[in-house]
């Protein structure tokens, strides 16, 4: 299954992606992870990405697409993948579709984790992280027993500077303006499916899994039909290959009989002629010899009469 995950910041699609990886045994392709790995490895694409980031510019789409294409060439991606963080706008979606078509791995499903804006605001502005063990809480949904203290290790909770209301609203505004149109883009392709991203993590995951299973069944059925058609075609080809020698043999036999039939009268005529030749010659000789023999007999009788 080849999936692109869509959802606003705070929708929980990252958490759901990890669960999908475990269930379907396909990799999550995160552009952020790819960029960091390429920069750390010092690859050609990594160098280009680093140069852009160091100058405060966005990494060019062709660089990101090149990294995605390299990742798709690895063995663990052959059974499918979950694409997260790209595309972020329509032009990127179009170039992504073109690249995936070239490598024969087009997207099969665009899965939107849908959450209302006000819920997203509370999720992001209310997020708190333990500075010691990294545990994550939310002052609105999952508060700690002791305010400001981690339930697991007692460490102090920290509030990210970019999780303030002004910054969060700006991030969501950018999402709505640039990324939300992708919903219409994939809907027009018939690939969009939506799961409500509210409730427990397990409930959301069940909803997402049900959507994927429903999508996979017809695709699997189509795959079986294609395989069956291919097998039938191979069987017909093999049958034709097996029939060809038999047909050739039959044709040869028929031709041989025809030749023999035509040749037989001539052969017989020659044989008869050969046999008939001595008799014919004997008759001819006898015919020629008969008058001479009769003349001799008459002369002999005449001689006796004179005496």
């Amino acid at each position: 299954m080849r999936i692109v995950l869509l959802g606003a910041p705070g929708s929980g699609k990252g958490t759901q992606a990890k669960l999908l990886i475990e269930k379907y045994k396909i990799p999550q392709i995160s552009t952020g992870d790819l960029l960091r790995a390429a920069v750390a490895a010092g690859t050609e694409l990594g160098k280009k990405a680093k140069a852009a980031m160091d100058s405060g510019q966005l990494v060019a789409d062709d660089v990101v697409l090149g990294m995605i294409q390299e990742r798709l060439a690895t063995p663990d991606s052959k059974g499918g993948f979950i694409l997260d963080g790209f595309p972020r706008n329509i032009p990127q979606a179009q170039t992504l579709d073109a690249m995936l078509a070239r490598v024969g791995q087009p997207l099969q499903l665009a899965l939107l984790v849908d959450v209302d804006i006000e819920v997203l605001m509370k999720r992001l502005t209310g997020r708190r992280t333990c500075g010691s063990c990294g545990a994550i809480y939310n002052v609105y949904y999952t508060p700690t027993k002791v305010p400001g203290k981690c339930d697991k290790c007692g460490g102090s909770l920290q509030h990210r500077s970019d999780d303030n209301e002004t910054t969060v609203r700006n991030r969501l505004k950018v999402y709505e303006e640039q990324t939300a149109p992708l919903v219409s883009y994939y809907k027009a392709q018939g690939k969009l499916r939506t799961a409500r991203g509210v409730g427990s993590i397990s409930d959301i995951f069940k909803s997402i899994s049900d959507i994927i299973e429903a999508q996979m069944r017809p695709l699997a059925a189509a795959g079986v039909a294609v395989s069956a058609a291919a097998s039938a075609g191979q069987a017909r080809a093999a049958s034709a290959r097996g029939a060809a020698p038999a047909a050739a043999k039959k044709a040869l036999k028929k031709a041989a009989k025809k030749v023999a039939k035509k040749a037989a009268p001539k052969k017989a005529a020659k044989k008869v002629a050969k046999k008939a030749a001595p008799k014919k010659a004997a008759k001819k000789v006898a015919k020629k010899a008969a008058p001479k023999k009769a003349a001799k007999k008459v002369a002999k009788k005449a001689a006796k009469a004179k005496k």
Side-chain angles (χ1 to χ4, degrees):
M1 175 59 69
R2 298 180 292 274
I3 305 171
V4 60
L5 275 180
L6 304 175
S11 63
K13 60 187 176 69
T15 299
Q16 296 301 322
K18 289 180 173 60
L19 296 174
L20 291 172
I21 291 167
E22 293 175 9
K23 180 171 183 176
Y24 294 105
K25 309 302 179 187
I26 56 177
Q28 176 188 9
I29 300 178
S30 167
T31 51
D33 292 342
L34 290 178
L35 285 169
R36 285 187 287 272
V39 170
T43 65
E44 285 302 314
L45 291 173
K47 291 175 183 177
K48 291 180 181 179
K50 187 175 186 303
M53 291 187 288
D54 288 348
S55 62
Q57 299 177 351
L58 293 174
V59 178
D61 289 350
D62 61 333
V63 173
V64 177
L65 283 168
M67 291 179 181
I68 293 173
Q69 186 169 339
E70 286 183 352
R71 183 66 180 83
L72 292 179
T74 57
D76 66 333
S77 300
K78 297 303 179 185
F81 56 83
I82 300 167
L83 193 57
D84 183 19
F86 193 93
R88 294 182 181 275
N89 52 52
I90 299 295
Q92 288 180 350
Q94 292 170 334
T95 53
L96 174 67
D97 279 348
M99 184 272 286
L100 292 176
R102 285 196 304 273
V103 299
Q105 293 179 286
L107 289 173
Q108 295 170 314
L109 175 65
L111 184 59
L112 171 65
V113 182
D114 188 34
V115 182
D116 294 337
I117 292 294
E118 291 310 312
V119 174
L120 292 173
M121 286 294 299
K122 288 184 177 182
R123 283 185 181 179
L124 294 172
T125 59
R127 186 165 51 188
R128 302 290 186 272
T129 306
C130 176
S132 299
C133 69
I136 299 175
Y137 301 92
N138 189 288
V139 296
Y140 299 108
Y141 302 115
T142 55
T144 55
K145 295 175 182 177
V146 178
K149 296 292 183 180
C150 177
D151 290 344
K152 295 180 179 179
C153 69
S156 299
L157 300 185
Q158 299 176 353
H159 187 201
R160 282 173 44 174
S161 60
D162 59 345
D163 280 347
N164 62 79
E165 186 171 346
T166 302
T167 303
V168 169
R169 284 200 182 278
N170 185 57
R171 288 169 63 193
L172 294 177
K173 182 182 178 182
V174 170
Y175 169 78
E176 285 296 321
E177 291 175 351
Q178 296 184 4
T179 312
L182 289 172
V183 172
S184 299
Y185 177 81
Y186 288 117
K187 187 176 182 179
Q189 293 184 355
K191 296 177 180 179
L192 182 72
R193 299 293 183 275
T194 302
R196 287 290 293 162
V198 291
S200 67
I201 291 174
S202 59
D203 287 342
I204 298 169
F205 182 65
K206 184 181 184 308
S207 177
I208 290 174
S209 297
D210 289 345
I211 290 171
I212 292 175
E213 294 297 332
Q215 184 78 359
M216 288 176 68
R217 278 192 292 272
L219 290 173
V224 170
V226 170
S227 298
S231 298
Q234 290 172 357
R236 284 194 296 271
S239 177
R241 287 194 297 272
K249 283 183 181 179
K250 192 174 180 180
L252 285 171
K253 284 183 180 179
K254 192 173 181 180
K257 284 182 180 179
K258 195 173 181 181
V259 171
K261 190 176 180 181
K262 287 183 177 180
K266 293 180 181 179
K267 196 172 182 182
K270 285 182 180 179
K271 194 174 181 182
V272 170
K274 190 176 181 181
K275 287 182 178 179
K279 291 181 181 179
K280 198 172 181 181
K283 284 181 181 179
K284 194 173 182 181
V285 171
K287 190 176 181 180
K288 287 181 179 180
K292 292 180 181 180
K293 195 174 181 182
K296 283 181 180 182
K297 195 174 181 181
V298 170
K300 194 175 181 181
K301 284 182 179 183
K304 282 182 179 182
K306 285 180 179 182
K307 288 178 181 181

